Amino acid sequence: MTIPRLQLETQIADLPSFGTLVWERPHEKAAGVVQRQYEIPEGNIILADWAGTLHEIIYQTPLEDD
C-alpha cells in the first residue's frame, strides 16, 4: 500500500494529481474552507483548502482481512 504523503501549507495548485475527485463542498464548520474527497487505490483522502493552501488531510483506508 502506497498512500500519498502530503505536506500541510502546500499550495493546492502545486499538489500532484493522485486520485479521482469524488466530491467537493464547503466545510461545515469553517467559513471559507473547501473540502475535497479523492478516491485512491488504498481508500480515500479528504483535503481542506483555505485560501488556496492545504490545511487539513484526512486519510481513510479500509482494514483488510487475510
Side-chain angles (χ1 to χ4, degrees):
M1 186 175 349
T2 304
I3 299 172
R5 296 180 74 185
L6 305 172
Q7 181 69 36
L8 293 176
E9 298 187 3
T10 298
Q11 294 296 307
I12 296 296
D14 294 338
L15 291 176
S17 175
F18 51 81
T20 303
L21 180 64
V22 177
W23 52 257
E24 178 177 337
R25 64 181 175 221
H27 194 287
E28 294 176 356
K29 298 180 181 178
V33 175
V34 175
Q35 289 184 308
R36 293 178 185 88
Q37 179 176 328
Y38 293 90
E39 183 178 329
I40 60 172
E42 299 79 14
N44 295 296
I45 297 176
I46 300 172
L47 305 179
D49 167 358
W50 179 66
T53 304
L54 181 60
H55 280 270
E56 180 180 52
I57 306 165
I58 300 171
Y59 294 98
Q60 298 176 327
T61 57
L63 295 175
E64 293 184 17
D65 293 332
D66 291 338

